[in-house]
Amino acid sequence: MWNMARTNTGHSSPRSQVGFAAECKCFCASSSSSVKVHLRSAERLRDLCCANRGTFIKVGQHLGALDYLLPEEYTSTLKVLHSQAPQSSIEEIKQVIREDLGKEISDLFLSFEENPHGAASLAQVHKAVLYDGRIVAIKVQHPKVQRQSSKDILVMEVLVRAVHWLFPDFAFMWLVEEAKKNMPLELDFLNEGCNAERVATMLAHFPFLKIPMIHWDLSTKRILTMEFADGGQVNDSDYMKKHGINVNEISENLGKMYSEMIFIHGFVHCDPHPGNVLVRKCPQSKKSEIILLDHGLYQILEPGFRLDYCRLWQALIKGNMSSVERYSRRMGAGDLYPLFACVLTTRSWAAVNAGISSVPITHSEDIEIRNNASLYIPQISDLLNRVPRQMLLLLKTNDLLRGIETTLQTRASSSSFINIARCCIRAMARHKRSKAQSWTRHLHISLAESLDLCRLNMYELFLWVRSSTLFHWLSTLVAFLH
């Protein structure tokens, strides 16, 4: 994925993907002659995740979303974990409901579908009808997952330490630390319900976003009852084609809402694997909607970190390499700032130097990324141990979003970078206004913000015109006349 260009620091500047993919890439090196080996290994990995459930399935889900990085045999085999993870029996589900809500299913619901609508790593979802006629989805935690999760994390810690002892360059203790911190939050469904309501209020101005409403009277730490919302997974291009949903519109809207979460609010949904992001035609408006599910894992960005992240992305988009180095170093990357820049953008160092908004993504660049990613595991390991812990979930989120774009074949679109630039401009202006001590300074900041946004809109219009059929027709005509 990277040309090994040298920077003025004397360090190599490969681009790499991060997250769980880095650890697993060592046993799935790409080779046209090893398809059977890949498939056999992928099936064993899937069976291992299903047998151990819980935390292990979450790892498998993440790998299944990395279409642009891992061999197809892995991603296609592991994709089933997004919504077809091992199920708990109906008797186990009834017992959890009985223990937490104090009543039998027949006393709470007019009807209850015993076959789960979907099963994931920590819970499974059943469709039911309340006695007032409302259709709901009941997310019920697997009964043994609370007790098992701590054992899973302990096993992971032992394995990571053992591998690090055998291979000193493999330093992924951060993975265990993050699991210890995040797993208790994901296992508390009341916390998930609060997160869902917060993000629904925060992004209420996006008409395309649907967050199911929570029924608090039927929710506990192990049960979350919410409005039922059905749709196809965001990476299911066949579903979108069948229902007349524009993939480019979905990809752009997904970028809008995540850019706003990250750069404006600093409150980020960090588990956007395809099973948690559904799409549909709204039954009322007939417009395309994105349904965002599973709000257990959020990252809250500190204001200083978020502003530096904004400045870094502005520098990456413009190709301002001195600022890329400055803000990468401020975020802990040190001399590995070229690698850090490539990790964030999932672009080559040549594209980063030119400004990622001005250099189109090519298929050959993606192939280079896929083939070379495993060569830089020691550098990735070092980088992930340097950066602030709040960066780790952002990198995982980037992994999953890029995987969705790759599946939908929208990664070559410039809209995602334009959305990021627009949110960075707004975030920086909001910060400056909060520090302004006079109305004239406040006005000057607002005018500068409006001017920058206007320039960005004009650039977006230019890109749209340049890609239009009429422009290509006129270009062909002018070439013919000459």
Side-chain angles (χ1 to χ4, degrees):
M1 111 172 131
W2 317 310
N3 290 320
M4 291 297 293
R6 290 280 180 180
T7 69
N8 57 4
T9 64
H11 286 268
S12 299
S13 54
R15 169 195 156 276
S16 174
Q17 185 53 38
V18 297
F20 298 107
E23 296 128 74
C24 298
K25 188 66 177 178
C26 59
F27 58 77
C28 52
S30 295
S31 170
S32 58
S33 62
S34 59
V35 171
K36 291 183 179 179
V37 174
H38 283 326
L39 186 59
R40 184 170 67 249
S41 299
E43 289 171 347
R44 288 176 178 174
L45 180 58
R46 179 201 58 204
D47 294 343
L48 173 68
C49 292
C50 290
N52 289 279
R53 308 176 74 164
T55 307
F56 291 89
I57 289 180
K58 295 197 76 68
V59 174
Q61 286 175 340
H62 182 63
L63 295 175
L66 298 179
D67 299 84
Y68 65 99
L69 182 62
L70 298 180
E72 194 272 338
E73 294 77 22
Y74 280 88
T75 57
S76 62
T77 302
L78 295 173
K79 270 182 171 56
V80 298
L81 298 177
H82 290 143
S83 58
Q84 299 176 37
Q87 303 173 7
S88 295
S89 70
I90 186 61
E91 291 306 320
E92 289 175 315
I93 295 301
K94 287 180 178 179
Q95 183 63 27
V96 172
I97 292 175
R98 192 180 299 119
E99 290 174 359
D100 282 32
L101 297 179
K103 293 183 179 180
E104 297 295 331
I105 284 179
S106 58
D107 297 326
L108 297 167
F109 307 105
L110 179 63
S111 66
F112 185 94
E113 292 187 3
E114 294 192 353
N115 290 327
H117 198 70
S121 55
L122 305 181
Q124 62 192 52
V125 177
H126 292 261
K127 185 178 180 181
V129 179
L130 301 177
Y131 276 99
D132 61 8
R134 287 177 294 175
I135 303 174
V136 295
I138 304 100
K139 181 177 180 180
V140 184
Q141 197 171 107
H142 297 307
K144 299 176 183 178
V145 76
Q146 288 269 5
R147 183 172 62 254
Q148 189 64 35
S149 62
S150 57
K151 297 178 182 178
D152 290 344
I153 293 171
L154 179 60
V155 170
M156 288 174 62
E157 183 171 6
V158 170
L159 290 175
V160 168
R161 289 188 183 279
V163 174
H164 179 58
W165 181 74
L166 292 170
F167 307 98
D169 285 336
F170 186 93
F172 282 88
M173 278 309 299
W174 60 268
L175 178 62
V176 177
E177 293 166 7
E178 287 301 294
K180 285 181 178 178
K181 182 182 75 174
N182 295 322
M183 190 57 69
L185 296 175
E186 292 192 78
L187 291 173
D188 183 354
F189 289 176
L190 294 178
N191 172 68
E192 178 178 342
C194 291
N195 288 341
E197 289 195 339
R198 177 175 173 180
V199 80
T201 302
M202 190 175 81
L203 302 181
H205 56 286
F206 287 141
F208 59 79
L209 177 60
K210 172 71 175 176
I211 307 289
M213 184 184 71
I214 306 299
H215 293 267
W216 289 109
D217 57 324
L218 294 172
S219 297
T220 68
K221 281 195 170 186
R222 295 195 297 169
I223 299 171
L224 188 65
T225 304
M226 70 201 91
E227 172 188 6
F228 183 81
D230 200 9
Q233 290 192 3
V234 70
N235 62 344
D236 189 345
S237 53
D238 291 336
Y239 174 91
M240 286 190 253
K241 185 182 296 184
K242 179 181 177 181
H243 291 83
I245 297 173
N246 187 313
V247 294
N248 290 310
E249 179 186 352
I250 292 297
S251 183
E252 182 174 354
N253 287 340
L254 194 61
K256 282 181 181 178
M257 61 191 241
Y258 266 92
S259 293
E260 183 130 344
M261 277 192 271
I262 293 169
F263 299 105
I264 303 294
H265 301 284
F267 185 67
V268 190
H269 180 284
C270 288
D271 202 12
H273 71 69
N276 290 338
V277 186
L278 307 181
V279 294
R280 70 172 185 180
K281 285 284 189 180
C282 176
Q284 289 76 36
S285 67
K286 305 303 179 184
K287 294 183 178 179
S288 299
E289 280 187 337
I290 295 175
I291 305 168
L292 191 61
L293 305 174
D294 198 345
H295 300 271
L297 185 58
Y298 271 75
Q299 178 71 321
I300 300 175
L301 306 181
E302 296 173 1
F305 174 92
R306 178 173 56 84
L307 292 170
D308 279 346
Y309 197 56
C310 283
R311 296 181 181 109
L312 174 57
W313 268 101
Q314 286 180 313
L316 288 166
I317 289 170
K318 295 176 182 177
N320 184 337
M321 297 315 297
S322 61
S323 293
V324 168
E325 179 179 357
R326 181 188 312 123
Y327 292 111
S328 295
R329 288 183 181 276
R330 284 179 63 165
M331 303 190 88
D335 290 340
L336 291 175
Y337 76 87
L339 174 62
F340 185 53
C342 295
V343 161
L344 284 178
T345 59
T346 58
R347 299 297 306 276
S348 68
W349 181 242
V352 170
N353 272 275
I356 54 177
S357 64
S358 59
V359 180
I361 299 171
T362 63
H363 180 67
S364 60
E365 185 182 21
D366 278 344
I367 293 297
E368 187 182 352
I369 289 167
R370 185 189 291 267
N371 289 340
N372 294 338
S374 63
L375 302 177
Y376 307 105
I377 290 178
Q379 294 94 324
I380 297 169
S381 174
D382 188 12
L383 177 64
L384 295 180
N385 279 289
R386 293 185 186 192
V387 297
R389 287 294 169 258
Q390 55 191 323
M391 175 60 72
L392 298 176
L393 282 180
L394 284 184
L395 293 175
K396 176 193 173 185
T397 304
N398 277 350
D399 285 352
L400 295 170
L401 292 174
R402 296 294 181 268
I404 291 170
E405 289 178 348
T406 299
T407 304
L408 298 181
Q409 298 182 344
T410 58
R411 259 182 42 81
S413 171
S414 60
S415 62
S416 59
F417 296 128
I418 290 174
N419 288 327
I420 290 173
R422 186 175 285 117
C423 285
C424 287
I425 290 170
R426 290 170 52 206
M428 295 306 301
R430 177 186 290 188
H431 170 69
K432 291 175 183 177
R433 276 194 294 268
S434 70
K435 301 294 183 182
Q437 298 183 0
S438 67
W439 70 269
T440 54
R441 175 63 179 158
H442 195 282
L443 178 61
H444 179 268
I445 294 167
S446 296
L447 289 174
E449 176 190 15
S450 298
L451 182 59
D452 286 342
L453 290 174
C454 183
R455 288 171 178 161
L456 193 61
N457 290 337
M458 293 298 292
Y459 177 63
E460 188 174 27
L461 178 61
F462 164 74
L463 292 178
W464 177 82
V465 170
R466 192 175 66 175
S467 63
S468 67
T469 304
L470 178 61
F471 179 83
H472 286 294
W473 184 82
L474 290 174
S475 299
T476 304
L477 179 61
V478 169
F480 174 76
L481 293 175
H482 276 286

